[in-house]
Amino acid sequence: MNTERPVYYTVRALRMTDIRDEGTASEELEVSPPHFVSSAPSALRVVKGDKIYLMWKESPEPWVRGYRVYRKIDGEQGFTLLGEVKIPTFTDTEKIDKKVWYMIKALGPVSESEPLVGEVAK
């Protein structure tokens, strides 16, 4: 599977007879990077102490390159990118005394997945 550029396939039916009859080729099928949209990560777990530890269940697709972690603090407009990780864990070292929301997105070859959002009370 090539996730860097489009790949084209044709499909043929094969009958398992003595002469192995092969049918005509299908129309050409294109599989391109925009088709590789990852499913959202799931099952966010948060452990709060002097730091906030985030863990989640990774997306099952083999083309996921990593995850982007975003944070929104109560009173802010929108989420801020905190970083990218290759494994489904992240540690937020900033001390925050307000309600916080985290958003995790899986990274595919071209785009991000739908978000996984979780809330942490102060």
Coordinates of all heavy atoms in Angstrom, one line a residue, residues 13-95:
A13 N -11.9 -11.7 -12.4 CA -12.4 -13.0 -11.7 C -11.6 -14.2 -12.3 O -11.2 -14.2 -13.4 CB -13.9 -13.1 -12.1
L14 N -11.5 -15.2 -11.5 CA -10.7 -16.4 -11.9 C -11.6 -17.6 -11.5 O -11.9 -17.7 -10.3 CB -9.4 -16.4 -11.2 CG -8.5 -17.6 -11.4 CD1 -8.1 -17.7 -12.9 CD2 -7.3 -17.6 -10.5
R15 N -11.9 -18.4 -12.5 CA -12.6 -19.6 -12.2 C -11.6 -20.7 -12.1 O -10.7 -20.9 -13.0 CB -13.6 -19.9 -13.3 CG -14.8 -19.0 -13.2 CD -15.9 -19.6 -14.1 NE -15.8 -18.9 -15.4 CZ -16.4 -19.3 -16.5 NH1 -17.2 -20.3 -16.5 NH2 -16.2 -18.6 -17.6
M16 N -11.6 -21.5 -11.1 CA -10.7 -22.6 -10.8 C -11.1 -23.8 -11.6 O -11.6 -24.8 -11.1 CB -10.6 -22.9 -9.3 CG -10.1 -21.7 -8.5 SD -8.4 -21.2 -9.0 CE -7.5 -22.5 -8.4
T17 N -10.9 -23.8 -12.9 CA -11.2 -24.9 -13.8 C -9.8 -25.5 -14.2 O -8.8 -25.0 -13.8 CB -12.0 -24.6 -15.0 OG1 -11.3 -23.6 -15.8 CG2 -13.3 -23.9 -14.6
D18 N -9.8 -26.5 -15.1 CA -8.6 -27.1 -15.5 C -7.7 -26.1 -16.3 O -6.5 -26.2 -16.3 CB -8.9 -28.3 -16.4 CG -9.4 -29.5 -15.6 OD1 -9.2 -29.5 -14.4 OD2 -10.1 -30.4 -16.2
I19 N -8.4 -25.1 -17.0 CA -7.6 -24.1 -17.8 C -7.6 -22.8 -17.1 O -7.1 -21.8 -17.7 CB -8.2 -24.0 -19.2 CG1 -9.7 -23.6 -19.1 CG2 -8.0 -25.3 -20.0 CD1 -10.2 -23.2 -20.5
R20 N -8.0 -22.7 -15.9 CA -8.0 -21.4 -15.1 C -8.5 -20.2 -15.9 O -7.8 -19.3 -16.3 CB -6.6 -21.1 -14.6 CG -6.2 -22.1 -13.6 CD -5.0 -21.6 -12.8 NE -4.7 -22.6 -11.8 CZ -4.2 -22.3 -10.6 NH1 -4.0 -21.1 -10.3 NH2 -3.9 -23.2 -9.7
D21 N -9.8 -20.2 -16.2 CA -10.4 -19.1 -16.9 C -10.3 -17.8 -16.2 O -10.7 -17.8 -15.0 CB -11.9 -19.4 -17.2 CG -12.1 -20.6 -18.1 OD1 -11.2 -20.9 -18.9 OD2 -13.1 -21.3 -18.0
E22 N -9.9 -16.8 -16.8 CA -9.8 -15.5 -16.2 C -10.8 -14.6 -16.9 O -10.8 -14.5 -18.2 CB -8.3 -15.0 -16.4 CG -8.1 -13.7 -15.6 CD -6.6 -13.3 -15.6 OE1 -5.8 -14.0 -15.0 OE2 -6.3 -12.3 -16.4
G23 N -11.5 -13.8 -16.2 CA -12.5 -12.9 -16.8 C -11.8 -11.6 -17.2 O -10.6 -11.4 -17.1
T24 N -12.7 -10.7 -17.8 CA -12.1 -9.5 -18.3 C -11.8 -8.6 -17.1 O -12.4 -8.7 -16.0 CB -13.1 -8.8 -19.2 OG1 -14.3 -8.6 -18.5 CG2 -13.4 -9.6 -20.4
A25 N -10.9 -7.6 -17.3 CA -10.5 -6.7 -16.2 C -11.6 -5.7 -15.9 O -12.3 -5.3 -16.8 CB -9.2 -6.0 -16.6
S26 N -11.7 -5.3 -14.7 CA -12.7 -4.3 -14.3 C -12.2 -3.0 -14.7 O -11.0 -2.8 -15.2 CB -12.8 -4.3 -12.7 OG -11.6 -3.8 -12.2
E27 N -13.0 -1.9 -14.5 CA -12.5 -0.6 -14.8 C -11.4 -0.3 -13.8 O -11.3 -0.9 -12.7 CB -13.6 0.4 -14.6 CG -14.7 0.4 -15.6 CD -15.7 1.5 -15.4 OE1 -15.4 2.5 -14.8 OE2 -16.9 1.2 -15.7
E28 N -10.5 0.6 -14.1 CA -9.4 0.9 -13.2 C -9.9 1.6 -12.0 O -10.8 2.5 -12.0 CB -8.5 1.9 -14.0 CG -7.1 1.9 -13.4 CD -6.1 2.7 -14.4 OE1 -6.3 3.9 -14.5 OE2 -5.3 2.1 -15.0
L29 N -9.4 1.1 -10.8 CA -9.8 1.7 -9.5 C -8.6 2.5 -9.0 O -7.5 2.0 -9.0 CB -10.1 0.5 -8.6 CG -11.2 -0.5 -9.0 CD1 -11.2 -1.7 -8.1 CD2 -12.5 0.2 -9.1
E30 N -8.9 3.7 -8.5 CA -7.9 4.6 -8.0 C -8.0 4.5 -6.5 O -9.0 4.7 -5.9 CB -8.0 6.0 -8.5 CG -7.0 6.9 -7.9 CD -7.2 8.4 -8.2 OE1 -8.3 8.7 -8.8 OE2 -6.4 9.2 -7.8
V31 N -6.9 4.3 -5.8 CA -6.8 4.5 -4.4 C -5.7 5.5 -4.1 O -4.5 5.4 -4.5 CB -6.3 3.1 -3.7 CG1 -6.2 3.3 -2.2 CG2 -7.4 2.1 -4.0
S32 N -6.1 6.7 -3.6 CA -5.2 7.8 -3.4 C -5.1 8.2 -2.0 O -6.0 7.9 -1.2 CB -5.6 9.0 -4.3 OG -6.8 9.5 -3.9
P33 N -4.1 9.0 -1.6 CA -4.0 9.4 -0.2 C -5.2 10.0 0.5 O -5.5 9.7 1.6 CB -2.8 10.3 -0.2 CG -1.9 9.8 -1.3 CD -3.0 9.4 -2.4
P34 N -6.0 10.8 -0.2 CA -7.2 11.4 0.5 C -8.2 10.3 0.9 O -9.0 10.5 1.7 CB -7.8 12.3 -0.6 CG -6.6 12.7 -1.4 CD -5.8 11.5 -1.5
H35 N -8.1 9.1 0.3 CA -9.0 8.0 0.7 C -8.6 7.4 2.1 O -9.4 6.7 2.7 CB -9.0 6.9 -0.3 CG -9.5 7.3 -1.6 ND1 -9.0 6.8 -2.8 CD2 -10.5 8.1 -2.0 CE1 -9.7 7.3 -3.8 NE2 -10.6 8.1 -3.3
F36 N -7.4 7.7 2.5 CA -6.9 7.1 3.8 C -7.2 8.1 4.9 O -6.3 8.7 5.5 CB -5.4 6.9 3.7 CG -5.0 5.8 2.7 CD1 -4.5 6.1 1.5 CD2 -5.1 4.5 3.0 CE1 -4.1 5.2 0.6 CE2 -4.8 3.5 2.1 CZ -4.3 3.8 0.9
V37 N -8.5 8.1 5.3 CA -8.9 9.0 6.5 C -9.0 8.0 7.7 O -9.7 7.0 7.7 CB -10.2 9.6 6.2 CG1 -10.7 10.4 7.4 CG2 -10.1 10.5 5.0
S38 N -8.2 8.3 8.7 CA -8.2 7.5 9.9 C -9.5 7.7 10.7 O -10.1 8.7 10.7 CB -7.0 7.9 10.8 OG -5.8 7.8 10.0
S39 N -9.8 6.6 11.4 CA -10.9 6.7 12.4 C -10.4 7.5 13.6 O -9.2 7.5 13.9 CB -11.5 5.4 12.8 OG -10.5 4.5 13.3
A40 N -11.3 8.0 14.4 CA -10.9 8.8 15.6 C -10.3 7.8 16.7 O -10.8 6.7 16.8 CB -12.1 9.5 16.2
P41 N -9.3 8.3 17.4 CA -8.9 7.5 18.6 C -10.1 7.4 19.5 O -11.1 8.1 19.4 CB -7.8 8.3 19.2 CG -7.7 9.6 18.4 CD -8.6 9.5 17.3
S42 N -10.0 6.5 20.5 CA -11.1 6.3 21.4 C -10.6 6.1 22.9 O -9.4 5.9 23.1 CB -12.0 5.1 21.0 OG -11.2 4.0 20.9
A43 N -11.6 6.0 23.8 CA -11.3 5.6 25.2 C -10.2 6.4 25.9 O -9.3 5.9 26.4 CB -11.0 4.1 25.2
L44 N -10.4 7.7 25.9 CA -9.5 8.6 26.5 C -9.5 8.4 28.0 O -10.6 8.4 28.6 CB -9.8 10.1 26.2 CG -8.9 11.1 26.9 CD1 -7.5 11.0 26.4 CD2 -9.4 12.5 26.6
R45 N -8.4 8.2 28.6 CA -8.2 8.1 30.1 C -7.3 9.2 30.5 O -6.3 9.5 29.9 CB -7.6 6.8 30.5 CG -8.6 5.6 30.2 CD -8.1 4.3 30.7 NE -6.6 4.2 30.6 CZ -5.9 3.3 31.2 NH1 -6.4 2.5 32.1 NH2 -4.6 3.2 31.0
V46 N -7.6 9.9 31.6 CA -6.9 11.0 32.2 C -6.5 10.7 33.6 O -7.3 10.2 34.4 CB -7.7 12.3 32.1 CG1 -6.9 13.4 32.7 CG2 -8.1 12.6 30.7
V47 N -5.2 10.8 33.9 CA -4.7 10.7 35.3 C -4.1 12.0 35.7 O -3.2 12.5 35.0 CB -3.6 9.6 35.4 CG1 -3.1 9.5 36.8 CG2 -4.2 8.2 34.9
K48 N -4.7 12.6 36.7 CA -4.3 14.0 37.1 C -3.5 13.9 38.4 O -3.9 13.3 39.4 CB -5.6 14.8 37.3 CG -5.3 16.3 37.5 CD -6.6 17.1 37.6 CE -6.3 18.5 37.9 NZ -7.5 19.3 38.2
G49 N -2.4 14.5 38.4 CA -1.5 14.7 39.5 C -0.8 16.0 39.5 O -1.4 17.0 39.1
D50 N 0.5 16.0 39.7 CA 1.3 17.2 39.4 C 1.4 17.5 37.9 O 1.6 18.7 37.5 CB 2.7 17.2 40.1 CG 3.5 16.0 39.6 OD1 2.9 15.0 39.1 OD2 4.7 16.1 39.6
K51 N 1.1 16.5 37.1 CA 1.0 16.6 35.7 C -0.3 16.0 35.2 O -0.9 15.3 36.0 CB 2.2 15.9 35.0 CG 3.6 16.5 35.4 CD 4.7 15.6 34.8 CE 6.0 16.1 35.3 NZ 7.1 15.2 34.9
I52 N -0.7 16.2 34.0 CA -1.9 15.5 33.5 C -1.4 14.5 32.5 O -0.8 14.9 31.5 CB -2.9 16.5 32.9 CG1 -3.4 17.4 34.0 CG2 -4.1 15.7 32.3 CD1 -4.3 18.5 33.6
Y53 N -1.7 13.2 32.7 CA -1.3 12.2 31.8 C -2.6 11.7 31.0 O -3.6 11.4 31.5 CB -0.8 11.0 32.6 CG 0.4 11.3 33.4 CD1 0.2 11.7 34.8 CD2 1.7 11.2 32.9 CE1 1.3 12.0 35.5 CE2 2.8 11.6 33.7 CZ 2.6 11.9 35.0 OH 3.7 12.3 35.7
L54 N -2.4 11.7 29.7 CA -3.5 11.3 28.8 C -3.1 10.0 28.1 O -2.0 9.9 27.6 CB -3.7 12.4 27.7 CG -3.9 13.8 28.1 CD1 -3.9 14.8 27.0 CD2 -5.2 13.9 28.9
M55 N -4.0 9.1 28.0 CA -3.8 7.8 27.3 C -5.1 7.5 26.6 O -6.2 7.8 27.1 CB -3.6 6.7 28.3 CG -2.3 6.9 29.1 SD -2.3 6.0 30.7 CE -3.2 7.1 31.7
W56 N -5.0 6.9 25.4 CA -6.2 6.6 24.6 C -5.9 5.3 23.8 O -4.8 4.9 23.6 CB -6.5 7.8 23.7 CG -5.5 8.2 22.8 CD1 -5.2 7.7 21.5 CD2 -4.4 9.2 23.0 NE1 -4.1 8.4 21.0 CE2 -3.6 9.2 21.9 CE3 -4.1 10.0 24.1 CZ2 -2.5 10.1 21.8 CZ3 -3.0 10.8 24.0 CH2 -2.2 10.9 22.9
K57 N -7.0 4.8 23.3 CA -6.9 3.6 22.4 C -6.6 4.1 21.0 O -7.3 5.0 20.5 CB -8.2 2.8 22.4 CG -8.2 1.6 21.7 CD -9.4 0.8 21.8 CE -9.4 -0.5 20.9 NZ -10.6 -1.2 20.9
E58 N -5.5 3.6 20.4 CA -5.1 4.1 19.1 C -6.1 3.7 18.0 O -6.9 2.8 18.1 CB -3.7 3.6 18.8 CG -3.5 2.1 18.8 CD -2.1 1.7 18.7 OE1 -1.3 2.4 18.2 OE2 -1.8 0.6 19.2
S59 N -6.0 4.4 16.9 CA -6.8 4.2 15.7 C -6.3 2.9 15.1 O -5.1 2.7 15.0 CB -6.8 5.3 14.7 OG -7.2 6.5 15.4
P60 N -7.1 2.0 14.5 CA -6.7 0.7 14.0 C -6.0 0.7 12.7 O -5.4 -0.3 12.3 CB -8.0 -0.1 14.0 CG -9.1 0.9 13.8 CD -8.6 2.1 14.5
E61 N -6.1 1.8 11.9 CA -5.6 1.8 10.5 C -4.1 1.8 10.5 O -3.4 2.5 11.3 CB -6.1 3.1 9.8 CG -7.6 3.1 9.6 CD -8.4 3.6 10.7 OE1 -7.8 4.1 11.7 OE2 -9.6 3.4 10.7
P62 N -3.5 1.0 9.6 CA -2.0 0.9 9.6 C -1.3 2.1 9.1 O -0.1 2.2 9.2 CB -1.8 -0.3 8.6 CG -3.0 -0.4 7.8 CD -4.1 0.1 8.6
W63 N -2.0 3.0 8.5 CA -1.4 4.2 7.9 C -1.4 5.4 8.9 O -0.9 6.5 8.5 CB -2.0 4.6 6.6 CG -3.5 5.0 6.7 CD1 -4.0 6.1 7.2 CD2 -4.6 4.1 6.4 NE1 -5.4 6.1 7.2 CE2 -5.8 4.8 6.7 CE3 -4.7 2.8 5.9 CZ2 -7.0 4.3 6.5 CZ3 -6.0 2.3 5.7 CH2 -7.1 3.0 6.0
V64 N -1.8 5.2 10.1 CA -1.8 6.3 11.1 C -0.3 6.6 11.4 O 0.4 5.7 11.8 CB -2.6 6.0 12.3 CG1 -2.3 7.0 13.4 CG2 -4.0 5.8 12.0
R65 N 0.1 7.9 11.2 CA 1.5 8.3 11.5 C 1.7 8.8 12.9 O 2.9 8.9 13.3 CB 1.8 9.4 10.5 CG 1.8 9.0 9.1 CD 2.2 10.2 8.2 NE 2.1 11.5 8.9 CZ 1.7 12.6 8.3 NH1 1.2 12.6 7.1 NH2 1.6 13.7 9.0
G66 N 0.7 9.1 13.6 CA 0.8 9.6 15.0 C -0.5 10.3 15.4 O -1.5 10.1 14.7
Y67 N -0.3 11.1 16.4 CA -1.5 11.8 17.0 C -1.2 13.3 17.3 O 0.0 13.5 17.7 CB -2.0 11.1 18.2 CG -2.3 9.7 18.0 CD1 -1.4 8.7 18.1 CD2 -3.6 9.3 17.6 CE1 -1.7 7.4 17.8 CE2 -4.0 8.0 17.3 CZ -3.0 7.0 17.4 OH -3.3 5.7 17.1
R68 N -2.1 14.1 17.1 CA -2.0 15.5 17.5 C -2.8 15.7 18.8 O -4.0 15.3 18.8 CB -2.4 16.5 16.4 CG -1.4 16.6 15.3 CD -1.7 17.7 14.4 NE -0.6 17.8 13.4 CZ -0.8 18.0 12.1 NH1 -2.1 18.2 11.6 NH2 0.2 18.0 11.2
V69 N -2.3 16.4 19.7 CA -2.9 16.7 21.0 C -3.2 18.2 21.1 O -2.2 19.0 21.0 CB -2.1 16.2 22.2 CG1 -2.8 16.5 23.5 CG2 -1.8 14.7 22.0
Y70 N -4.4 18.6 21.4 CA -4.8 19.9 21.5 C -5.4 20.2 22.9 O -5.9 19.2 23.5 CB -5.9 20.3 20.5 CG -5.5 20.1 19.1 CD1 -5.6 18.9 18.4 CD2 -5.1 21.2 18.3 CE1 -5.3 18.7 17.1 CE2 -4.7 21.1 17.0 CZ -4.8 19.8 16.4 OH -4.5 19.7 15.1
R71 N -5.4 21.4 23.4 CA -5.9 21.7 24.7 C -6.7 23.0 24.6 O -6.3 24.0 23.9 CB -4.8 21.9 25.7 CG -5.3 22.3 27.1 CD -4.2 22.5 28.1 NE -3.4 23.6 27.7 CZ -2.1 23.7 28.0 NH1 -1.4 22.8 28.7 NH2 -1.4 24.8 27.6
K72 N -7.8 23.1 25.4 CA -8.6 24.3 25.5 C -8.8 24.5 27.0 O -9.3 23.6 27.7 CB -9.9 24.2 24.8 CG -10.8 25.4 25.0 CD -12.1 25.3 24.3 CE -12.9 26.5 24.5 NZ -14.3 26.2 24.8
I73 N -8.4 25.7 27.5 CA -8.6 26.0 28.9 C -9.9 26.8 29.0 O -10.2 27.7 28.2 CB -7.4 26.8 29.5 CG1 -6.1 25.9 29.4 CG2 -7.6 27.2 30.9 CD1 -4.8 26.7 29.7
D74 N -10.6 26.6 30.1 CA -11.9 27.3 30.3 C -11.7 28.8 30.1 O -10.8 29.4 30.7 CB -12.4 27.0 31.7 CG -13.9 27.4 31.9 OD1 -14.6 27.5 30.9 OD2 -14.3 27.6 33.0
G75 N -12.5 29.4 29.3 CA -12.4 30.9 29.0 C -11.7 31.2 27.7 O -11.8 32.3 27.3
E76 N -11.0 30.2 27.2 CA -10.3 30.5 25.9 C -11.2 30.2 24.7 O -12.2 29.4 24.8 CB -9.1 29.5 25.8 CG -7.9 29.9 26.7 CD -6.7 29.0 26.5 OE1 -6.8 28.0 25.8 OE2 -5.7 29.2 27.1
Q77 N -10.9 30.8 23.6 CA -11.6 30.5 22.4 C -10.8 29.4 21.6 O -9.7 29.6 21.2 CB -11.7 31.8 21.5 CG -12.5 32.8 22.1 CD -14.0 32.5 22.1 OE1 -14.5 31.8 21.2 NE2 -14.7 32.9 23.1
G78 N -11.4 28.3 21.3 CA -10.8 27.3 20.5 C -9.6 26.5 21.2 O -9.2 26.8 22.3
F79 N -9.2 25.5 20.5 CA -8.1 24.6 21.0 C -6.8 25.0 20.5 O -6.7 25.6 19.4 CB -8.4 23.1 20.5 CG -9.5 22.4 21.3 CD1 -10.8 22.6 20.9 CD2 -9.2 21.6 22.3 CE1 -11.8 21.9 21.6 CE2 -10.2 21.0 23.1 CZ -11.5 21.1 22.7
T80 N -5.7 24.8 21.3 CA -4.4 25.1 20.9 C -3.6 23.8 20.8 O -3.7 22.9 21.6 CB -3.7 25.9 22.0 OG1 -4.5 27.1 22.2 CG2 -2.3 26.3 21.7
L81 N -2.8 23.7 19.7 CA -2.0 22.5 19.5 C -0.9 22.4 20.5 O -0.1 23.4 20.7 CB -1.4 22.5 18.1 CG -0.4 21.3 17.7 CD1 -1.2 20.0 17.7 CD2 0.2 21.6 16.4
L82 N -0.8 21.3 21.3 CA 0.2 21.1 22.2 C 1.4 20.3 21.7 O 2.6 20.5 22.1 CB -0.3 20.3 23.5 CG -1.3 21.0 24.3 CD1 -1.8 20.1 25.4 CD2 -0.8 22.4 24.8
G83 N 1.1 19.4 20.8 CA 2.2 18.6 20.2 C 1.7 17.4 19.4 O 0.5 17.1 19.4
E84 N 2.7 16.7 18.9 CA 2.4 15.4 18.1 C 3.2 14.3 18.8 O 4.3 14.5 19.3 CB 2.9 15.6 16.7 CG 2.1 16.5 15.8 CD 2.4 16.4 14.4 OE1 3.2 15.5 13.9 OE2 2.0 17.4 13.7
V85 N 2.6 13.2 18.8 CA 3.2 12.0 19.4 C 3.0 10.8 18.5 O 2.1 10.8 17.7 CB 2.7 11.6 20.8 CG1 3.0 12.7 21.8 CG2 1.1 11.5 20.8
K86 N 3.9 9.8 18.6 CA 3.8 8.6 17.8 C 3.0 7.5 18.5 O 2.5 6.6 17.8 CB 5.2 8.0 17.4 CG 6.0 9.0 16.6 CD 5.7 9.0 15.2 CE 6.6 9.8 14.4 NZ 6.1 10.2 13.1
I87 N 3.0 7.6 19.8 CA 2.3 6.5 20.6 C 1.1 7.2 21.3 O 1.0 8.4 21.5 CB 3.2 5.9 21.6 CG1 3.8 7.0 22.6 CG2 4.4 5.1 20.9 CD1 4.6 6.4 23.7
P88 N 0.1 6.4 21.7 CA -1.1 7.0 22.3 C -1.1 7.4 23.7 O -1.9 7.0 24.6 CB -2.2 5.8 22.1 CG -1.3 4.6 22.1 CD 0.0 4.9 21.5
T89 N -0.1 8.2 24.0 CA 0.0 8.8 25.4 C 0.6 10.2 25.2 O 1.4 10.5 24.3 CB 1.0 8.0 26.3 OG1 2.3 7.9 25.7 CG2 0.5 6.6 26.5
F90 N 0.3 11.1 26.2 CA 0.8 12.4 26.2 C 0.8 12.9 27.6 O -0.1 12.6 28.4 CB -0.1 13.3 25.3 CG 0.5 14.7 25.2 CD1 1.4 15.0 24.2 CD2 0.0 15.8 26.0 CE1 1.9 16.3 24.1 CE2 0.5 17.0 25.9 CZ 1.5 17.3 24.9
T91 N 1.8 13.7 28.0 CA 1.9 14.3 29.3 C 1.9 15.8 29.2 O 2.7 16.4 28.5 CB 3.2 13.9 30.0 OG1 3.3 12.5 30.1 CG2 3.3 14.5 31.4
D92 N 0.9 16.4 29.8 CA 0.8 17.9 29.9 C 1.4 18.3 31.2 O 0.9 18.0 32.3 CB -0.7 18.3 29.8 CG -0.8 19.8 29.7 OD1 0.2 20.6 29.7 OD2 -2.0 20.3 29.5
T93 N 2.5 19.1 31.1 CA 3.3 19.5 32.3 C 2.8 20.8 32.9 O 3.3 21.2 33.9 CB 4.8 19.5 32.0 OG1 5.0 20.4 30.9 CG2 5.3 18.1 31.6
E94 N 2.0 21.5 32.2 CA 1.6 22.9 32.6 C 0.6 22.7 33.8 O -0.4 21.9 33.7 CB 0.9 23.7 31.5 CG 0.7 25.1 31.8 CD 0.3 25.9 30.6 OE1 0.7 25.6 29.5 OE2 -0.5 26.9 30.8
K95 N 0.8 23.5 34.8 CA -0.2 23.5 36.0 C -1.3 24.4 35.6 O -1.1 25.6 35.4 CB 0.6 23.9 37.2 CG 1.6 23.0 37.6 CD 2.0 23.2 39.1 CE 3.2 22.3 39.5 NZ 2.9 20.9 39.4

